[in-house]
Amino acid sequence: MSAPRRIAVIPGDGIGHEVIPAGLAVLTRAAESGGFPLAFEHFDWGCEHYRRTGRMMAADALDRLADFDAIYLGAIGAPDVPDHVSIWEMVLPIRQRFDQYVNLRPMKLLPGVTGPLAGRGPADVDMICVRENSEGEYSGIGCLDADGAREEAIFTRRGIERIVRYAFELAARRPRRLLASATKSNALRHSMVLWDEVVEQVARDFPQVSWRKYHVDALAARMVTAPQGLDVIVGSNLFGDILTDLGAAISGSLGLAPGANLNPERLHPSMFEPIHGSAPDIAGQGIANPIGAVWAGALMLDHLGAPEAARRIEHAIAAVLADGDVRTPDLGGHATTADMTRALAARLP
Ligand code: NAD
Ligand code: MN
């Protein structure tokens, strides 16, 4: 056996405490049966830590996280802590400090799941979003005073170039080789004009990829009316955030959707999380769907160099959903998080 990969585990808040243990159970089993040991270290950071100490994370948290091979995050947020505090003192600093500039989010309707789009099946909904994750609308720069607020979006040529290149490279490796760029260069006459210009330039290096740009509002409509024509979608931080909740919804449930925050150069740890939040409306009931977290764990194993273990987990997810016997309430059933976790583990060799 090789030396264990060191994973920092941050369950966070709400259903993070339910889906992360489920993810760890499935991950451990898949990784160890493949001779790929994982060593987990838990951190109790999040809103409870904030209530106790006035900080979401320890003061030296980012320095400590820097030493890990990857970060496995549940969800952050609680009703009594302002969301901009919890997100800005934790999720966004981690993404920025570790230059996790790619947020990769598959959006796939799996067999056995009933999506909300009438007449659409798994062949129609199979997309992946490449979201810019380090700048753009989430720069944090601005001000708020009695007269109003101002929020600045920062788009650097380098920042756009690297995310767009990543997206084209991904599209070139996928069977359909399609790329849609989400823009809004009609109304956002500085940033999105630059975005479009960079996309045009990078596209010249990928003649094998057919691409086009869509204004983001039209693209949102298209994801609903004609998802079968979409494959890779590249978008800014805000656009990607919004489009991927839509993508998760048309894939059957927000509870199924995984996300990877990647530093592709591997200079820093990458972070893996379900895309959903802490779901205070169902937290504590033991009914959260753990599949988004489990699938995010598979993306982590893939990134760490255990693609076989990752595929085993993805097959287990597909098999349990195709079976249809075990469904959490978000999928229309009555199964608990624990039932689903057991069913997934039972599908691993
Ligand atoms: P949410 O994703 O927590 O919940 C939206 C809806 O989806 C809720 O009805 C919830 O019950 C349902 N849902 C989400 N995950 C589910 C799962 N695994 N199984 C079953 N149902 C699930 O979004 P929200 O309600 O807008 O936000 C709640 C809190 O989470 C807020 O504090 C928000 O800031 C935070 N949040 C954090 C992150 C993050 O940590 N990256 C992301 C999004 C939202
Ligand atoms: Mn989001």
Side-chain angles (χ1 to χ4, degrees):
M1 279 219 202
S2 50
R5 296 300 196 287
R6 294 183 61 236
I7 318 278
V9 179
I10 313 175
D13 299 305
I15 62 167
H17 290 284
E18 301 166 43
V19 299
I20 290 299
L24 291 175
V26 175
L27 271 178
T28 305
R29 194 174 161 125
E32 291 189 348
S33 71
F36 193 85
L38 303 172
F40 300 113
E41 196 170 319
H42 280 71
F43 296 92
D44 67 347
W45 298 330
C47 291
E48 179 49 36
H49 190 273
Y50 179 84
R51 287 181 205 110
R52 234 176 29 238
T53 67
R55 320 181 62 107
M56 291 292 293
M57 303 195 282
D60 61 350
L62 295 175
D63 291 334
R64 284 159 74 182
L65 291 174
D67 292 334
F68 285 86
D69 293 305
I71 303 164
Y72 189 41
L73 176 73
I76 302 301
D80 62 329
V81 177
D83 285 341
H84 65 272
V85 170
S86 52
I87 295 291
W88 265 108
E89 290 198 9
M90 208 162 157
V91 180
L92 294 178
I94 293 174
R95 289 175 177 167
Q96 292 182 351
R97 159 78 179 261
F98 299 128
D99 204 17
Q100 295 165 348
Y101 65 87
V102 175
N103 189 196
L104 204 57
R105 295 182 159 185
M107 300 171 284
K108 212 169 153 154
L109 178 57
L110 294 170
V113 177
T114 311
L117 302 183
R120 297 288 182 192
D124 300 305
V125 182
D126 183 4
M127 307 172 237
I128 185 160
C129 182
V130 177
R131 167 192 178 194
E132 205 296 317
N133 212 30
S134 66
E135 54 171 40
E137 305 88 344
Y138 296 179
S139 74
I141 299 169
C143 56
L144 165 61
D145 60 30
D147 295 327
R150 180 183 174 123
E151 191 94 42
E152 247 178 89
I154 303 291
F155 284 83
T156 64
R157 199 176 275 277
R158 165 176 173 269
I160 303 171
E161 228 252 37
R162 63 185 184 172
I163 195 67
V164 168
R165 190 165 289 283
Y166 188 97
F168 270 101
E169 282 167 0
L170 177 63
R173 290 195 303 273
R174 286 171 58 100
R176 291 188 290 156
R177 287 188 253 142
L178 302 175
L179 184 131
S181 167
T183 185
K184 190 65 192 169
S185 46
N186 50 357
L188 300 174
R189 60 185 179 176
H190 309 291
S191 56
M192 285 294 143
V193 170
L194 176 64
W195 177 278
D196 289 356
E197 182 192 313
V198 173
V199 172
E200 295 250 9
Q201 275 165 10
V202 173
R204 290 190 206 121
D205 295 337
F206 297 89
Q208 70 276 40
V209 174
S210 24
W211 71 279
R212 58 164 290 191
K213 64 179 186 187
Y214 298 89
H215 290 306
V216 64
D217 38 0
L219 182 55
R222 221 175 157 79
M223 285 173 70
V224 171
T225 58
Q228 73 284 2
L230 297 167
D231 181 13
V232 177
I233 295 174
V234 64
S236 67
N237 214 328
L238 173 66
F239 294 174
D241 194 359
I242 298 171
L243 292 176
T244 49
D245 266 40
L246 173 57
I250 64 174
S251 308
S253 171
L254 194 49
L256 295 171
N261 302 274
L262 301 174
N263 173 249
E265 292 75 24
R266 296 169 185 267
L267 299 172
H268 311 284
S270 292
M271 178 164 70
F272 300 83
E273 54 174 339
I275 84 164
H276 63 72
S278 54
D281 55 338
I282 59 164
Q285 299 177 33
I287 55 166
N289 190 338
I291 288 182
V294 170
W295 193 349
L299 299 179
M300 179 165 74
L301 288 178
D302 218 351
H303 179 78
L304 291 174
E308 312 78 20
R311 292 300 87 75
R312 282 197 292 277
I313 294 176
E314 287 168 2
H315 286 139
I317 293 171
V320 169
L321 291 173
D323 261 5
D325 299 335
V326 182
R327 288 180 194 288
T328 42
D330 58 308
L331 297 174
H334 299 285
T336 63
T337 309
D339 295 333
M340 182 60 97
T341 308
R342 264 193 302 276
L344 291 168
R347 285 296 189 147
L348 292 170

Short mmCIF file of all heavy atoms in Angstrom, two decimals, residues 108-116 248-257 282 287-292 295 317-318 320-336 340 344:
data_model
loop_
_atom_site.label_atom_id
_atom_site.label_comp_id
_atom_site.label_asym_id
_atom_site.label_seq_id
_atom_site.Cartn_x
_atom_site.Cartn_y
_atom_site.Cartn_z
N LYS A 108 -26.13 15.76 -14.72
CA LYS A 108 -26.43 14.56 -15.48
C LYS A 108 -27.68 13.91 -14.92
O LYS A 108 -27.75 13.65 -13.72
CB LYS A 108 -25.22 13.63 -15.26
CG LYS A 108 -24.88 12.73 -16.38
CD LYS A 108 -23.53 12.09 -16.08
CE LYS A 108 -23.52 10.78 -16.80
NZ LYS A 108 -22.20 10.31 -17.13
N LEU A 109 -28.64 13.67 -15.78
CA LEU A 109 -29.84 12.94 -15.34
C LEU A 109 -29.53 11.46 -15.44
O LEU A 109 -29.29 10.93 -16.53
CB LEU A 109 -31.03 13.32 -16.23
CG LEU A 109 -32.36 12.62 -15.96
CD1 LEU A 109 -32.83 12.82 -14.53
CD2 LEU A 109 -33.43 13.12 -16.93
N LEU A 110 -29.50 10.78 -14.29
CA LEU A 110 -29.10 9.38 -14.28
C LEU A 110 -30.33 8.48 -14.45
O LEU A 110 -31.43 8.82 -14.00
CB LEU A 110 -28.37 9.05 -12.98
CG LEU A 110 -27.02 9.77 -12.83
CD1 LEU A 110 -26.45 9.59 -11.42
CD2 LEU A 110 -26.00 9.25 -13.86
N PRO A 111 -30.14 7.32 -15.11
CA PRO A 111 -31.26 6.39 -15.28
C PRO A 111 -31.88 6.03 -13.93
O PRO A 111 -31.17 5.83 -12.95
CB PRO A 111 -30.60 5.17 -15.92
CG PRO A 111 -29.40 5.71 -16.63
CD PRO A 111 -28.92 6.86 -15.78
N GLY A 112 -33.19 6.00 -13.89
CA GLY A 112 -33.89 5.68 -12.65
C GLY A 112 -34.36 6.93 -11.91
O GLY A 112 -35.19 6.84 -11.01
N VAL A 113 -33.81 8.09 -12.28
CA VAL A 113 -34.23 9.33 -11.63
C VAL A 113 -35.25 10.03 -12.53
O VAL A 113 -35.05 10.13 -13.74
CB VAL A 113 -33.02 10.27 -11.41
CG1 VAL A 113 -33.47 11.60 -10.80
CG2 VAL A 113 -31.97 9.60 -10.54
N THR A 114 -36.34 10.47 -11.93
CA THR A 114 -37.34 11.21 -12.69
C THR A 114 -37.01 12.69 -12.60
O THR A 114 -37.10 13.28 -11.54
CB THR A 114 -38.75 10.97 -12.11
OG1 THR A 114 -38.91 9.56 -11.95
CG2 THR A 114 -39.82 11.52 -13.04
N GLY A 115 -36.62 13.25 -13.71
CA GLY A 115 -36.35 14.69 -13.73
C GLY A 115 -37.64 15.46 -13.91
O GLY A 115 -38.68 14.88 -14.26
N PRO A 116 -37.60 16.77 -13.71
CA PRO A 116 -38.83 17.57 -13.82
C PRO A 116 -39.20 17.93 -15.26
O PRO A 116 -40.28 18.46 -15.48
CB PRO A 116 -38.49 18.83 -13.02
CG PRO A 116 -37.00 18.96 -13.13
CD PRO A 116 -36.46 17.57 -13.22
N ALA A 248 -28.72 21.14 -11.68
CA ALA A 248 -28.98 20.11 -10.67
C ALA A 248 -30.48 19.81 -10.62
O ALA A 248 -30.90 18.65 -10.54
CB ALA A 248 -28.48 20.56 -9.30
N ALA A 249 -31.28 20.86 -10.71
CA ALA A 249 -32.74 20.66 -10.65
C ALA A 249 -33.22 19.81 -11.82
O ALA A 249 -34.01 18.88 -11.64
CB ALA A 249 -33.45 22.01 -10.63
N ILE A 250 -32.71 20.10 -13.03
CA ILE A 250 -33.18 19.30 -14.17
C ILE A 250 -32.55 17.90 -14.18
O ILE A 250 -32.98 17.03 -14.92
CB ILE A 250 -33.00 20.02 -15.53
CG1 ILE A 250 -31.53 20.25 -15.85
CG2 ILE A 250 -33.78 21.32 -15.58
CD1 ILE A 250 -31.31 20.82 -17.24
N SER A 251 -31.53 17.70 -13.34
CA SER A 251 -30.96 16.36 -13.19
C SER A 251 -31.67 15.57 -12.09
O SER A 251 -31.23 14.50 -11.71
CB SER A 251 -29.48 16.44 -12.84
OG SER A 251 -28.79 17.26 -13.75
N GLY A 252 -32.72 16.14 -11.52
CA GLY A 252 -33.53 15.37 -10.59
C GLY A 252 -33.51 15.87 -9.16
O GLY A 252 -34.49 15.72 -8.45
N SER A 253 -32.38 16.40 -8.68
CA SER A 253 -32.35 16.93 -7.31
C SER A 253 -31.03 17.64 -7.05
O SER A 253 -29.96 17.18 -7.47
CB SER A 253 -32.50 15.80 -6.29
OG SER A 253 -32.25 16.31 -4.98
N LEU A 254 -31.14 18.72 -6.30
CA LEU A 254 -29.94 19.41 -5.82
C LEU A 254 -29.09 18.48 -4.96
O LEU A 254 -27.87 18.60 -4.88
CB LEU A 254 -30.39 20.64 -5.02
CG LEU A 254 -29.41 21.74 -4.67
CD1 LEU A 254 -28.61 22.19 -5.88
CD2 LEU A 254 -30.15 22.92 -4.07
N GLY A 255 -29.73 17.53 -4.34
CA GLY A 255 -29.03 16.60 -3.45
C GLY A 255 -28.14 15.61 -4.17
O GLY A 255 -27.36 14.90 -3.53
N LEU A 256 -28.24 15.55 -5.49
CA LEU A 256 -27.42 14.60 -6.25
C LEU A 256 -26.13 15.23 -6.78
O LEU A 256 -25.22 14.52 -7.20
CB LEU A 256 -28.21 14.10 -7.48
CG LEU A 256 -29.45 13.26 -7.21
CD1 LEU A 256 -30.22 13.04 -8.52
CD2 LEU A 256 -29.06 11.92 -6.61
N ALA A 257 -26.06 16.56 -6.79
CA ALA A 257 -25.04 17.23 -7.60
C ALA A 257 -23.72 17.44 -6.88
O ALA A 257 -23.69 18.00 -5.78
CB ALA A 257 -25.60 18.57 -8.08
N ILE A 282 -34.26 20.84 6.36
CA ILE A 282 -34.33 19.40 6.61
C ILE A 282 -33.20 18.91 7.54
O ILE A 282 -33.14 17.72 7.85
CB ILE A 282 -34.29 18.57 5.30
CG1 ILE A 282 -33.01 18.84 4.51
CG2 ILE A 282 -35.53 18.83 4.45
CD1 ILE A 282 -32.74 17.79 3.42
N ILE A 287 -32.57 12.80 6.67
CA ILE A 287 -33.19 12.45 5.39
C ILE A 287 -32.50 13.10 4.19
O ILE A 287 -32.98 13.01 3.06
CB ILE A 287 -34.68 12.84 5.36
CG1 ILE A 287 -34.86 14.33 5.68
CG2 ILE A 287 -35.48 11.97 6.33
CD1 ILE A 287 -36.26 14.87 5.35
N ALA A 288 -31.37 13.78 4.45
CA ALA A 288 -30.66 14.43 3.33
C ALA A 288 -30.13 13.36 2.38
O ALA A 288 -29.69 12.29 2.80
CB ALA A 288 -29.50 15.26 3.86
N ASN A 289 -30.18 13.68 1.12
CA ASN A 289 -29.61 12.78 0.12
C ASN A 289 -28.09 12.90 0.16
O ASN A 289 -27.55 13.98 -0.06
CB ASN A 289 -30.14 13.17 -1.26
CG ASN A 289 -29.80 12.15 -2.32
OD1 ASN A 289 -28.87 11.36 -2.16
ND2 ASN A 289 -30.57 12.16 -3.40
N PRO A 290 -27.38 11.81 0.43
CA PRO A 290 -25.92 11.91 0.52
C PRO A 290 -25.20 11.78 -0.82
O PRO A 290 -23.98 11.86 -0.88
CB PRO A 290 -25.56 10.71 1.42
CG PRO A 290 -26.60 9.68 1.08
CD PRO A 290 -27.88 10.46 0.76
N ILE A 291 -25.96 11.58 -1.90
CA ILE A 291 -25.29 11.24 -3.17
C ILE A 291 -24.40 12.38 -3.69
O ILE A 291 -23.30 12.12 -4.18
CB ILE A 291 -26.32 10.78 -4.23
CG1 ILE A 291 -26.83 9.39 -3.83
CG2 ILE A 291 -25.71 10.74 -5.63
CD1 ILE A 291 -27.83 8.76 -4.79
N GLY A 292 -24.84 13.63 -3.54
CA GLY A 292 -23.98 14.74 -3.99
C GLY A 292 -22.62 14.71 -3.29
O GLY A 292 -21.57 14.88 -3.92
N TRP A 295 -20.63 11.54 -4.45
CA TRP A 295 -20.12 11.75 -5.81
C TRP A 295 -18.94 12.75 -5.79
O TRP A 295 -17.93 12.57 -6.48
CB TRP A 295 -21.27 12.24 -6.70
CG TRP A 295 -21.04 12.22 -8.17
CD1 TRP A 295 -19.85 12.00 -8.82
CD2 TRP A 295 -22.04 12.44 -9.19
NE1 TRP A 295 -20.06 12.07 -10.19
CE2 TRP A 295 -21.38 12.34 -10.43
CE3 TRP A 295 -23.41 12.71 -9.16
CZ2 TRP A 295 -22.06 12.51 -11.65
CZ3 TRP A 295 -24.07 12.88 -10.36
CH2 TRP A 295 -23.41 12.77 -11.59
N ILE A 317 -23.45 4.54 -7.39
CA ILE A 317 -24.50 5.57 -7.42
C ILE A 317 -25.49 5.24 -8.54
O ILE A 317 -26.71 5.23 -8.34
CB ILE A 317 -23.89 6.98 -7.63
CG1 ILE A 317 -23.05 7.39 -6.42
CG2 ILE A 317 -24.99 8.00 -7.93
CD1 ILE A 317 -22.24 8.67 -6.63
N ALA A 318 -24.95 4.96 -9.72
CA ALA A 318 -25.81 4.67 -10.87
C ALA A 318 -26.67 3.44 -10.60
O ALA A 318 -27.87 3.42 -10.92
CB ALA A 318 -24.96 4.48 -12.13
N VAL A 320 -27.66 2.09 -7.67
CA VAL A 320 -28.70 2.31 -6.65
C VAL A 320 -29.84 3.15 -7.23
O VAL A 320 -31.02 2.85 -7.00
CB VAL A 320 -28.09 2.99 -5.40
CG1 VAL A 320 -29.18 3.46 -4.45
CG2 VAL A 320 -27.14 2.02 -4.69
N LEU A 321 -29.50 4.16 -8.02
CA LEU A 321 -30.56 5.00 -8.60
C LEU A 321 -31.36 4.21 -9.64
O LEU A 321 -32.59 4.33 -9.72
CB LEU A 321 -29.96 6.26 -9.22
CG LEU A 321 -29.40 7.27 -8.20
CD1 LEU A 321 -28.68 8.41 -8.91
CD2 LEU A 321 -30.50 7.83 -7.30
N ALA A 322 -30.67 3.40 -10.42
CA ALA A 322 -31.36 2.62 -11.46
C ALA A 322 -32.32 1.61 -10.83
O ALA A 322 -33.43 1.40 -11.32
CB ALA A 322 -30.34 1.91 -12.35
N ASP A 323 -31.88 1.02 -9.71
CA ASP A 323 -32.73 0.09 -8.96
C ASP A 323 -34.04 0.73 -8.52
O ASP A 323 -35.11 0.13 -8.63
CB ASP A 323 -32.02 -0.29 -7.65
CG ASP A 323 -31.35 -1.62 -7.76
OD1 ASP A 323 -31.36 -2.18 -8.87
OD2 ASP A 323 -30.80 -2.08 -6.74
N GLY A 324 -33.90 1.92 -7.98
CA GLY A 324 -35.08 2.67 -7.57
C GLY A 324 -35.71 2.26 -6.25
O GLY A 324 -36.69 2.86 -5.83
N ASP A 325 -35.15 1.26 -5.57
CA ASP A 325 -35.77 0.82 -4.31
C ASP A 325 -35.50 1.80 -3.18
O ASP A 325 -36.33 1.97 -2.30
CB ASP A 325 -35.21 -0.55 -3.89
CG ASP A 325 -35.50 -1.61 -4.92
OD1 ASP A 325 -36.48 -1.43 -5.68
OD2 ASP A 325 -34.75 -2.60 -4.98
N VAL A 326 -34.33 2.38 -3.19
CA VAL A 326 -33.93 3.26 -2.09
C VAL A 326 -33.91 4.69 -2.61
O VAL A 326 -33.07 5.05 -3.45
CB VAL A 326 -32.53 2.87 -1.57
CG1 VAL A 326 -32.13 3.75 -0.40
CG2 VAL A 326 -32.50 1.40 -1.17
N ARG A 327 -34.86 5.48 -2.14
CA ARG A 327 -34.94 6.88 -2.57
C ARG A 327 -35.16 7.76 -1.36
O ARG A 327 -36.10 7.55 -0.61
CB ARG A 327 -36.12 7.11 -3.51
CG ARG A 327 -35.96 6.54 -4.87
CD ARG A 327 -37.22 6.84 -5.68
NE ARG A 327 -37.23 6.05 -6.87
CZ ARG A 327 -36.43 6.26 -7.91
NH1 ARG A 327 -35.61 7.28 -7.91
NH2 ARG A 327 -36.47 5.46 -8.95
N THR A 328 -34.34 8.80 -1.26
CA THR A 328 -34.56 9.80 -0.21
C THR A 328 -35.74 10.68 -0.62
O THR A 328 -36.14 10.68 -1.80
CB THR A 328 -33.27 10.61 -0.01
OG1 THR A 328 -32.72 10.90 -1.30
CG2 THR A 328 -32.24 9.85 0.82
N PRO A 329 -36.31 11.46 0.32
CA PRO A 329 -37.51 12.25 -0.01
C PRO A 329 -37.33 13.21 -1.18
O PRO A 329 -38.29 13.45 -1.94
CB PRO A 329 -37.79 13.01 1.30
CG PRO A 329 -37.22 12.13 2.38
CD PRO A 329 -36.00 11.50 1.77
N ASP A 330 -36.14 13.78 -1.36
CA ASP A 330 -35.94 14.69 -2.50
C ASP A 330 -36.14 13.97 -3.83
O ASP A 330 -36.41 14.60 -4.85
CB ASP A 330 -34.54 15.34 -2.45
CG ASP A 330 -33.44 14.30 -2.45
OD1 ASP A 330 -33.47 13.38 -1.60
OD2 ASP A 330 -32.54 14.39 -3.31
N LEU A 331 -36.00 12.63 -3.82
CA LEU A 331 -36.22 11.85 -5.04
C LEU A 331 -37.59 11.19 -5.03
O LEU A 331 -37.88 10.32 -5.84
CB LEU A 331 -35.14 10.76 -5.16
CG LEU A 331 -33.69 11.26 -5.30
CD1 LEU A 331 -32.71 10.08 -5.27
CD2 LEU A 331 -33.51 12.06 -6.59
N GLY A 332 -38.42 11.61 -4.09
CA GLY A 332 -39.78 11.10 -4.05
C GLY A 332 -39.99 9.87 -3.19
O GLY A 332 -41.06 9.26 -3.24
N GLY A 333 -38.98 9.49 -2.40
CA GLY A 333 -39.12 8.28 -1.59
C GLY A 333 -39.16 8.56 -0.11
O GLY A 333 -39.41 9.70 0.32
N HIS A 334 -38.92 7.51 0.68
CA HIS A 334 -38.97 7.64 2.14
C HIS A 334 -37.68 7.19 2.79
O HIS A 334 -37.63 7.04 4.01
CB HIS A 334 -40.14 6.82 2.70
CG HIS A 334 -41.47 7.26 2.17
ND1 HIS A 334 -42.09 8.42 2.60
CD2 HIS A 334 -42.27 6.75 1.21
CE1 HIS A 334 -43.22 8.58 1.94
NE2 HIS A 334 -43.35 7.58 1.08
N ALA A 335 -36.65 6.92 2.02
CA ALA A 335 -35.41 6.39 2.59
C ALA A 335 -34.68 7.49 3.37
O ALA A 335 -34.83 8.68 3.11
CB ALA A 335 -34.51 5.86 1.49
N THR A 336 -33.90 7.05 4.34
CA THR A 336 -33.09 7.97 5.13
C THR A 336 -31.68 8.07 4.52
O THR A 336 -31.31 7.28 3.64
CB THR A 336 -32.95 7.47 6.58
OG1 THR A 336 -32.26 6.21 6.54
CG2 THR A 336 -34.31 7.27 7.22
N MET A 340 -29.68 5.11 2.36
CA MET A 340 -29.01 5.36 1.08
C MET A 340 -27.53 5.03 1.17
O MET A 340 -26.95 4.44 0.26
CB MET A 340 -29.23 6.83 0.68
CG MET A 340 -28.64 7.22 -0.65
SD MET A 340 -29.29 6.28 -2.05
CE MET A 340 -30.54 7.39 -2.68
N LEU A 344 -25.52 2.25 -1.07
CA LEU A 344 -24.34 2.57 -1.89
C LEU A 344 -23.17 1.67 -1.52
O LEU A 344 -22.50 1.11 -2.39
CB LEU A 344 -23.95 4.05 -1.69
CG LEU A 344 -24.92 5.09 -2.25
CD1 LEU A 344 -24.58 6.48 -1.73
CD2 LEU A 344 -24.91 5.08 -3.79
#
